[in-house]
Amino acid sequence: MKKQIVLVTGAGSGIGKLTALSLAEAGHVVYASMRDIAGRNNARAAELRALAAQKKLQLHPLELDVLSQESADAAAATIVREQGHLDVVMHNAGHLVVGPTEAFTPQEIAKVFDTNVLGAQRVNRAVLPYLRAQESGLMLWISSTTTKGGFPPFMGPYGAAKAAMDSLAVTLAYEIARFGIETSIVVPGAFTKGTDHFPSAGRPADAAIAAAYARYDGLMDQIGARLSALMPDGADPQAVADEIVRIVGMPVGTRPMRSVVDFVGDGAAEVFEVSERVRIEFAKRIGMADLLEAKVRR
């Protein structure tokens, strides 16, 4: 397996951290990025450094705040300066918010989009000049089954932002294919353990509107309990990390456009199967068949 130089955003916890560690253990050079590694995330960065030293891994914590173009540019430049090139960019940074959609102000929803969508675009603008120049690379996006499957209420801004990010990934895949840059979208389902996604979720600031929805109190807990009951014993977010390691290790030109990792079966896999078939057929009809596989073209 060829060693890859990989940038992982949002690598301080959850799927990002699991994947960064798994990729490093697989022999890749991994830059595990997060914001404020000298402050609020200092302990997380120190933990990764300790693991790297203990296991002799090429795992490097890296400052990258997806809310800052300057920070994204600096992170990409650091990697290329130290390694000479960049092979894989994993868009994982994101933030979950939970609460009645009405209770979120437009400004709060804009912040959700700023992290989950515009944050990815800032990273795109930082890394794509390098990938286009070298005419190779893999853009690897972490989507969500909420974009196509059944998902619970009170996650409106998050679901909307994830759907927008997913759409951006698909569109960009066409536009960078002739530069030899591949795209893979990994779609995790719900996980009720193994991440701090829900415990660290944001809430709406408008407490009065949120309180008006008191008749729904406890519903999210009920849904969580039912999701947990549907989860098989082996359901673990490590499965997402393992799938990403598999995709990164695949030969150029053979990686899947989309891979769903869902233990609950919320219907997203079936919907994606249909939408992917439609996407391919329409691309052929309008003369863009050569863009579908995103293989290296020299």
Side-chain angles (χ1 to χ4, degrees), residues 260-277:
V260 180
V261 184
D262 176 28
F263 290 94
V264 174
D266 63 9
E270 290 80 359
V271 176
F272 277 126
E273 182 180 348
V274 174
S275 66
E276 191 65 7
R277 188 165 66 244

Side-chain angles (χ1 to χ4, degrees), residues 193-267:
K193 61 181 180 180
T195 75
D196 60 358
H197 209 35
F198 279 93
S200 63
R203 306 281 173 171
D206 193 332
I209 293 294
Y213 283 78
R215 66 189 62 187
Y216 290 95
D217 284 355
L219 180 61
M220 285 300 295
D221 291 337
Q222 294 172 30
I223 293 170
R226 290 171 183 172
L227 284 173
S228 295
L230 291 173
M231 288 282 181
D233 291 339
D236 190 291
Q238 180 63 44
V240 180
D242 292 343
E243 176 63 1
I244 292 167
V245 171
R246 185 186 75 85
I247 291 171
V248 169
M250 294 175 72
V252 171
T254 67
R255 292 159 172 149
M257 173 67 176
R258 195 178 291 275
S259 177
V260 180
V261 184
D262 176 28
F263 290 94
V264 174
D266 63 9

Side-chain angles (χ1 to χ4, degrees), residues 82-248:
E82 293 181 355
Q83 303 296 333
H85 67 286
L86 174 61
D87 298 306
V88 181
V89 178
M90 176 176 155
H91 284 299
N92 171 74
H95 182 54
L96 172 67
V97 294
V98 176
T101 300
E102 182 191 349
F104 289 96
T105 66
Q107 291 78 15
E108 287 179 297
I109 294 177
K111 288 182 179 179
V112 176
F113 273 72
D114 201 8
T115 299
N116 291 280
V117 185
L118 302 184
Q121 180 63 359
R122 292 185 186 97
V123 174
N124 287 339
R125 288 175 59 81
V127 303
L128 282 174
Y130 298 110
L131 301 189
R132 285 189 290 102
Q134 68 194 28
E135 295 195 45
S136 66
L138 170 64
M139 300 297 288
L140 203 158
W141 302 73
I142 305 305
S143 184
S144 168
T145 57
T146 60
T147 64
K148 287 292 190 292
F151 72 98
F154 302 112
M155 293 171 58
Y158 173 78
K162 275 296 187 181
M165 190 212 75
D166 193 285
S167 180
L168 185 69
V170 173
T171 299
L172 188 66
Y174 288 122
E175 298 170 3
I176 59 179
R178 286 182 180 172
F179 293 98
I181 305 169
E182 294 184 286
T183 294
S184 283
I185 305 171
V186 176
V187 189
F191 286 94
T192 56
K193 61 181 180 180
T195 75
D196 60 358
H197 209 35
F198 279 93
S200 63
R203 306 281 173 171
D206 193 332
I209 293 294
Y213 283 78
R215 66 189 62 187
Y216 290 95
D217 284 355
L219 180 61
M220 285 300 295
D221 291 337
Q222 294 172 30
I223 293 170
R226 290 171 183 172
L227 284 173
S228 295
L230 291 173
M231 288 282 181
D233 291 339
D236 190 291
Q238 180 63 44
V240 180
D242 292 343
E243 176 63 1
I244 292 167
V245 171
R246 185 186 75 85
I247 291 171
V248 169

